[in-house]
Amino acid sequence: MKKIMLAAASCALIAVAGVAWAAAGPTDPQIAHIAHTAGVIDIKAGKLALKKSHNKEVLAFAQEMVRDHEAVDKQALALVAKLKVTPQDNATSQSLMKGADAEYAKLEKLSGKAFDREYAANEVAYHKTVNGALETVLIPSAHNAELKSLLETGLKLFQSHQEHAEHLAHELH
Amino acid sequence: MSFTNLRGLAAVVAVIGSGALAACSAPSHPAPKTYVVTMTNMDFSPKTLTANVGDTVQWVNKDIFRHSATAKDGSFDVDIDVGQSGSYKLTKPGNLQVVCKYHPTMTQQILVNP
């Protein structure tokens, strides 16, 4: 009986990047903050790759990440301004940022092939995490139709990035 | 004008005449068309297209991301920035698999008839 109750309790929680949310999930201002944070993290990693890598494929991929994530972020910021929504910091954003800071510090110490491989492997893992969050929590929890639509476009984009990153990681091994 | 020149002129007129006749009697081939493909929400629309050799495909990027229309067989690679368009004239029959080189989940198929 205790096991059943525990299982029921866990079903009432949904997790994003290791952070559990109540069944209602994050609010729109929190979702906007998570989406913005996720974009900023990948732009920063892409810019580091552009500075450190000498591999043509890695550089092309990093350029794509910076360009696409900046485009989504610009669109997202324009939307929140239009909706008069202030993105609200939250535990998921903080958890994503903490993980990203650790990864950034690790990448900064690497060079050459070791850097390229770690960057590509992290891009695969990172996009998997963000895509999982978008699919299972962020999109279903979004209330505003325009925000939901932008997140859906974002999911298609990030799925494409994940496939590209997987191809890159494979090529580097 | 000499007799020889007159014969030459007659021959030229005859050749032109027969060519015009041949053109008139040849089976009519449809006039080349331009097919417009939209790139929006990370996809090609339409996803599949049937066209003829001589037709043109024009891709219009209505997305917020830069895209490309790249043939997997290497026959063309058209880069299309946000809000821009690019085109390619189909030169040979076949079944073309097209992909956005930046976003590999974006795919399109173009069947080109002779």
Side-chain angles (χ1 to χ4, degrees):
Chain A
M1 184 64 182
K2 195 178 174 185
K3 274 185 183 173
I4 294 170
M5 284 173 71
L6 278 172
S10 66
C11 285
L13 294 169
I14 45 181
V16 189
V19 176
W21 290 91
T27 62
D28 282 2
Q30 289 168 332
I31 291 169
H33 198 281
I34 295 166
H36 173 67
T37 304
V40 165
I41 288 169
D42 212 41
I43 291 166
K44 194 176 167 191
K47 285 183 175 171
L48 181 66
L50 289 173
K51 205 165 72 179
K52 294 198 72 154
S53 182
H54 300 287
N55 181 294
K56 197 180 154 193
E57 299 297 318
V58 171
L59 291 172
F61 178 82
Q63 265 171 354
E64 183 189 319
M65 292 306 105
V66 172
R67 187 176 63 229
D68 284 353
H69 285 283
E70 280 182 346
V72 175
D73 201 41
K74 191 178 164 192
Q75 196 87 349
L77 292 176
L79 179 62
V80 294
K82 180 186 152 191
L83 299 174
K84 296 185 170 57
V85 167
T86 305
Q88 189 189 341
D89 197 6
N90 57 84
T92 295
S93 291
Q94 288 159 14
S95 170
L96 281 173
M97 196 52 93
K98 194 178 165 190
D101 284 345
E103 181 61 29
Y104 192 88
K106 186 177 175 184
L107 282 168
E108 266 190 321
K109 289 177 192 154
L110 299 173
S111 59
K113 273 189 179 177
F115 173 88
D116 292 340
R117 285 176 177 169
E118 179 60 28
Y119 172 65
N122 183 58
E123 284 297 295
V124 173
Y126 183 69
H127 280 90
K128 267 186 191 169
T129 301
V130 174
N131 289 340
L134 279 165
E135 269 181 301
T136 59
V137 181
L138 304 181
I139 292 172
S141 304
H143 287 92
N144 181 275
E146 285 181 85
L147 177 63
K148 198 185 270 283
S149 172
L150 183 61
L151 293 171
E152 283 165 349
T153 300
L155 175 61
K156 282 187 188 174
L157 176 76
F158 304 156
Q159 283 171 336
S160 197
H161 286 173
Q162 186 185 322
E163 194 174 311
H164 200 164
E166 283 166 349
H167 176 75
L168 182 68
H170 179 76
E171 292 291 305
L172 293 169
H173 274 90
Chain B
M1 188 177 282
S2 71
F3 180 69
T4 311
N5 282 347
L6 274 175
R7 277 181 57 185
L9 181 64
V12 169
V13 169
V15 168
I16 291 171
S18 65
L21 193 65
C24 289
S25 61
S28 63
H29 206 275
K33 287 183 185 172
T34 296
Y35 292 91
V36 177
V37 174
T38 305
M39 295 159 141
T40 184
N41 288 326
M42 292 290 297
D43 220 341
F44 290 96
S45 179
K47 290 279 287 175
T48 57
L49 189 65
T50 302
N52 295 321
V53 168
D55 289 344
T56 297
V57 182
Q58 183 188 36
W59 293 272
V60 182
N61 185 356
K62 291 189 175 177
D63 238 337
I64 58 171
F65 318 108
R66 180 178 174 182
H67 289 311
S68 83
T70 307
K72 282 189 176 177
D73 68 1
S75 54
F76 59 85
D77 179 14
V78 185
D79 245 65
I80 309 154
D81 219 333
V82 177
Q84 302 295 309
S85 65
S87 55
Y88 176 75
K89 188 174 179 178
L90 303 165
T91 55
K92 56 182 181 185
N95 191 357
L96 287 168
Q97 303 297 318
V98 183
V99 66
C100 168
K101 66 184 173 190
Y102 305 115
H103 308 112
T105 53
M106 276 178 74
T107 57
Q108 187 190 29
Q109 186 182 5
I110 304 175
L111 182 64
V112 189
N113 292 319

